[in-house]
């Protein structure tokens, strides 16, 4: 009598890179691209360009007492109304008290005779770098300079909540419905945030958007990896991040072309609605259905997979796909309590929690900090995308050749040393080059850890555990913008934090089992046995 076969064996028989899997991944990648634009949009809609205090009584003065152009007149007004710093640069948050004093009078006299006061009439903004920002519309400068970073942290806090909520819901109710709900709600909430009348409503909507955005990304990733056999997981897992990289080229283009930050948010949010055809074209994970003992529904999707991939299988093949009846006590009712009862699995989880935290902390810190590298933010952001794309090219053969553990540890160590070297690199091309090495390494490591985590946890707990890991990553995403604010007190502090976090994460990777080529575990015991088994598919 023929032996039962695993769901991975079935997926291999129906075609590793079949049209069914490709179709699912087209939609998952579209969701990933939309999600990543939401994560990095802050760089362009909340950028803080040059600004100086308004002197409203001079607004209509054309400097007709001098022979200068309109642009030169604007610069002259700033020079005459703004006190200098010790290094002779002009201040942005104070001005001379020029109430009732004409521009011509100040031009002919010595402006330093006037008292220095805070900006009391608002600010002028230089739009040569950013055409339109919420920073300008809501005057988030000087005493409120930290608010844009706090808004990004609020958004990442929503990411944190989405990891916990939607990871658990997807394990309970399935991947399909949660993916659709998260994607459409992310699009709708994003559009609403573009209509925000003030920073408070915007912050609330960004938090809610973060909830749904991360839910769509997390559940989409898990669904995609569960529909392919082990030999295709790396390629399909990393393909998701290729789609994410497109945001590095989309956002700078939109920021240069579109004159309103609200329209930029609206267009990026509408990308989630490209999933509408997926209502009919995406299917539930048969692997999840089998663990929930819904064999009839799982077999229906398995037949669909074989049909779409052009494979003719016997009825016996479908009946031989095991649904782990021998482990029904575990797979049918596995909960977080079962995870806690397993010291080995908890050790894996704790190690991965820190790894996800550290990698997200460094990744977002380097991505959001591109404006401080000493070159055009549009150039450095696009270059960051190119570097990230190259990292995905490298991480695929690295994982396949050297395994998940060694390749992940290597990239983390490389990122740590690059962040440390950035401290000593001078502003400009040299610092950009060193920082891009760090971005290359952490991007490759981050792509690894997604695949690695999905291969360690058992099917009944996979989305929940990856959700917990993603929640830890969101804490890193929350902290990163706040750490960047501290560079005003000590410029080297952010890079020191990034470097230490990366090196420690690299050391902790060696606690984990190697999963290269091994079957995805369907039970807790199979996860525990990953370090023991040498079985390959």
């Amino acid at each position: 009598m023929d032996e039962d076969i695993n769901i991975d064996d079935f997926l291999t028989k129906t075609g590793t890179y079949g049209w069914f899997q490709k179709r699912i991944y087209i939609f998952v990648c579209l969701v990933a691209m939309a999600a990543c634009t939401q994560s990095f949009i802050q760089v362009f809609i909340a950028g803080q360009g040059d600004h100086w205090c308004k002197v409203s009584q001079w607004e209509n003065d054309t400097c007709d007492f001098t022979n200068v152009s309109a642009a030169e007149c604007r610069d002259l007004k700033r020079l005459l109304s703004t006190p200098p710093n010790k290094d002779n640069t002009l201040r942005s948050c104070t001005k001379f008290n020029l109430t009732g004093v004409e521009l011509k009078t100040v031009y002919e006299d010595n402006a330093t005779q006037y008292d220095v006061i805070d900006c009391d009439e608002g600010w002028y903004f230089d739009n040569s770098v950013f055409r339109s920002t919420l920073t300008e519309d809501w005057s988030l400068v000087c005493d409120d300079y930290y608010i844009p970073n706090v808004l990004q942290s609020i958004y990442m806090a929503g990411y944190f909540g989405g990891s916990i909520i939607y990871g658990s819901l997807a394990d309970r109710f399935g991947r399909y419905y949660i993916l659709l709900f998260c994607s459409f709600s992310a699009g709708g909430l994003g559009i609403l945030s573009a209509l925000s009348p003030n920073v408070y409503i915007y912050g609330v909507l960004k938090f809610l958007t973060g909830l749904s955005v991360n839910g769509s990304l997390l559940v989409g990733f898990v669904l995609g990896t569960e529909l392919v056999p082990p030999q295709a997981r790396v390629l399909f897992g990393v393909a998701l991040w290729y789609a994410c990289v497109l945001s590095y080229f989309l956002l700078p283009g939109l920021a240069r072309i579109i004159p309103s930050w609200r329209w930029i948010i609206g267009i990026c949010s509408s990308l989630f609605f490209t999933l509408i055809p997926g209502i009919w074209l995406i299917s539930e994970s048969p692997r999840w259905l089998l663990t929930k003992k819904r064999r009839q529904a799982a077999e229906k999707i398995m037949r669909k997979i074989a049909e779409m991939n052009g494979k003719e299988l016997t009825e016996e093949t479908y009946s031989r796909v095991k649904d782990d009846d021998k482990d029904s006590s575990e797979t049918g009712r596995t909960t977080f309590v079962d995870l806690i009862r397993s010291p080995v699995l908890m050790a894996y989880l704790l190690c991965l929690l820190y790894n996800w935290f550290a990698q997200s902390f460094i990744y977002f810190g380097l991505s959001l900090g591109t404006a401080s590298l000493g070159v055009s933010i549009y150039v450095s952001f696009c270059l960051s995308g190119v570097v990230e794309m190259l990292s995905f090219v490298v991480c695929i053969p690295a994982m396949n050749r050297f395994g998940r553990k060694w390749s992940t540890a290597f990239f983390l160590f490389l990122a740590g040393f690059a962040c440390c070297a950035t401290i000593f690199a001078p502003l400009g091309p040299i610092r950009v080059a060193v920082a891009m090495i760090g971005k290359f390494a952490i991007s490759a490591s981050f792509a690894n850890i997604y695949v690695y985590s999905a291969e360690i946890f058992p099917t009944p707990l996979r989305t929940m555990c990856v959700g917990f890991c993603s929640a830890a990553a969101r804490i890193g995403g929350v902290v990163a913008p706040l750490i960047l604010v501290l560079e005003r007190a000590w410029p080297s502090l952010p890079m020191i934090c990034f470097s230490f976090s990366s090196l420690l994460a690299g050391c902790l990777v060696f606690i984990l089992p190697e999963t290269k080529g091994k079957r995805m575990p369907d039970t807790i015991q199979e996860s525990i046995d990953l370090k023991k088994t040498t079985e390959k598919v």
Side-chain angles (χ1 to χ4, degrees):
M1 180 178 177
D2 293 328
E3 295 182 357
D4 289 341
I5 62 174
N6 188 277
I7 183 64
D8 285 328
D9 298 322
F10 174 82
L11 292 172
T12 301
K13 287 178 179 290
T14 56
T16 302
Y17 305 104
W19 172 239
F20 181 88
Q21 285 86 354
K22 291 177 181 177
R23 185 181 68 174
I24 298 284
Y25 250 82
I26 287 173
F27 289 106
V28 171
C29 285
L30 288 173
V31 169
M33 183 177 68
C36 289
T37 58
Q38 292 292 325
S39 297
F40 299 130
I41 201 171
Q42 178 86 358
V43 173
F44 298 100
I45 67 167
Q48 196 170 97
D50 197 9
H51 55 90
W52 60 96
C53 298
K54 275 187 178 181
V55 181
S56 57
Q57 68 203 44
W58 290 358
E59 284 193 357
N60 297 322
D61 198 312
T62 58
C63 303
D64 54 3
F65 54 87
T66 62
N67 187 23
V68 296
S69 65
E72 290 171 331
C73 181
R74 184 195 68 171
D75 294 339
L76 178 62
K77 291 177 182 178
R78 181 183 184 186
L79 179 65
L80 296 177
S81 64
T82 308
N85 290 304
K86 292 181 179 179
D87 58 359
N88 289 324
T89 58
L90 296 177
R91 300 182 192 177
S92 298
C93 300
T94 57
K95 67 177 182 179
F96 291 118
N97 186 0
L98 301 168
T99 304
V101 183
E102 294 183 359
L103 176 61
K104 183 179 180 180
T105 302
V106 179
Y107 178 74
E108 295 173 347
D109 297 337
N110 183 5
T112 57
Q113 65 181 296
Y114 301 103
D115 295 331
V116 176
I117 62 173
D118 292 333
C119 299
D120 58 353
E121 299 177 290
W123 291 263
Y124 295 113
F125 291 86
D126 181 0
N127 299 117
S128 60
V129 178
F130 303 106
R131 298 184 66 185
S132 169
T133 64
L134 59 85
T135 303
E136 178 179 349
D137 283 5
W138 293 328
S139 298
L140 304 180
V141 293
C142 296
D143 290 342
D144 296 327
Y145 76 93
Y146 61 90
I147 291 181
N149 291 76
V150 172
L151 290 173
Q152 180 68 8
S153 293
I154 289 173
Y155 172 76
M156 298 308 296
Y159 245 55
F160 172 83
S163 302
I164 297 175
I165 295 171
Y166 292 117
S168 299
L169 289 177
D171 279 333
R172 181 175 182 181
F173 299 108
R175 290 38 168 153
Y176 173 80
Y177 291 108
I178 301 301
L179 174 61
L180 293 180
F181 174 80
C182 288
S183 298
F184 296 146
S185 61
L189 288 166
I191 291 174
L192 286 176
S193 70
L195 303 175
S196 301
N198 55 59
V199 69
Y200 304 105
I201 293 177
Y202 178 82
V204 171
L205 289 171
K206 287 300 287 184
F207 174 82
L208 296 175
T209 303
L211 281 172
S212 296
V213 166
N214 194 39
S216 65
L217 188 61
L218 168 68
V219 179
F221 170 79
V222 171
L223 174 62
T225 54
E226 288 187 344
L227 287 170
V228 294
Q231 60 269 31
R233 266 183 239 137
V234 171
L235 179 60
F236 275 91
V238 175
L240 194 70
W241 306 119
Y242 275 112
C244 191
V245 167
L246 293 178
S247 65
Y248 282 95
F249 308 104
L250 175 64
L251 283 173
L254 289 176
R256 293 299 289 179
I257 296 171
I258 299 175
S260 169
W261 64 269
R262 296 180 186 273
W263 275 101
I264 295 174
I265 294 180
I267 291 172
C268 291
S269 299
S270 66
L271 293 175
F272 282 103
F273 297 113
T274 58
L275 190 63
I276 289 177
I279 296 174
W280 301 277
L281 299 178
I282 291 179
S283 301
E284 182 57 84
S285 165
R287 187 188 301 270
W288 177 82
L289 290 169
L290 286 172
T291 63
K292 294 299 180 181
K293 306 306 172 188
R294 295 170 57 182
R295 184 172 185 85
Q296 186 176 0
E299 187 171 319
K300 182 178 179 180
I301 295 176
M302 287 190 289
R303 291 180 183 276
K304 185 177 180 180
I305 294 173
E307 180 183 353
M308 291 200 64
N309 290 352
K311 302 292 183 179
E312 293 185 6
L313 303 179
T314 63
E315 291 296 321
E316 183 184 6
T317 301
Y318 295 106
S319 63
R320 285 168 51 206
V321 178
K322 63 178 181 179
D323 56 3
D324 297 304
D325 285 330
K326 65 181 186 303
D327 297 306
S328 60
S329 62
E330 180 179 333
T331 59
R333 296 184 295 275
T334 304
T335 65
F336 182 67
V337 175
D338 299 295
L339 176 67
I340 296 176
R341 289 172 179 168
S342 170
V344 174
L345 212 55
M346 277 301 297
Y348 294 164
L349 178 61
L350 292 174
C351 174
L352 286 167
L353 286 174
Y354 178 76
N355 253 273
W356 281 64
F357 164 82
Q359 295 192 47
S360 176
F361 175 55
I362 302 163
Y363 178 83
F364 283 102
L366 293 178
S367 297
L368 297 172
T370 51
S372 63
L373 298 179
V375 299
S376 166
I377 188 171
Y378 296 94
V379 173
S380 58
F381 200 79
C382 288
L383 181 60
S384 184
V386 172
V387 167
E388 192 164 332
M389 189 174 292
L390 291 175
S391 74
F392 298 151
V393 173
V394 172
C395 77
I396 294 176
M399 279 194 284
N400 286 331
R401 181 175 178 82
F402 302 107
R404 282 44 162 168
K405 180 188 294 186
W406 283 100
S407 60
T408 302
F410 171 78
F411 288 130
L412 283 168
F413 289 141
L414 178 59
F417 290 127
C419 289
C420 184
T422 303
I423 298 172
F424 306 100
L427 282 173
I430 295 178
R431 178 170 290 190
V432 170
V434 176
M436 288 304 123
I437 292 174
K439 183 65 185 297
F440 167 88
I442 203 64
S443 298
S445 177
F446 215 164
N448 280 18
I449 207 70
Y450 265 85
V451 177
Y452 202 2
S453 302
E455 292 178 335
I456 286 177
F457 296 117
T459 301
L461 296 173
R462 184 169 297 119
T463 312
M464 181 177 67
C465 288
V466 174
F468 287 149
C469 291
S470 185
R474 300 323 135 202
I475 296 177
V478 170
V479 174
L482 302 179
I483 289 293
L484 290 175
V485 173
L486 297 180
E487 69 180 358
R488 294 200 176 197
W490 184 15
S492 299
L493 181 58
M495 285 300 171
I496 291 174
C497 294
F498 297 153
S499 179
F500 175 79
S501 300
S502 188
L503 295 175
L504 178 58
C507 293
L508 291 176
V509 166
F510 292 101
I511 296 175
L512 302 172
E514 180 55 70
T515 59
K516 174 188 172 184
K518 296 181 180 180
R519 300 180 188 278
M520 258 188 170
D522 287 320
T523 67
I524 288 179
Q525 189 58 48
E526 289 177 2
S527 290
I528 295 173
D529 292 340
L530 281 173
K531 274 199 172 182
K532 303 176 185 178
T533 181
T534 58
E535 180 185 14
K536 304 289 180 70
V537 295

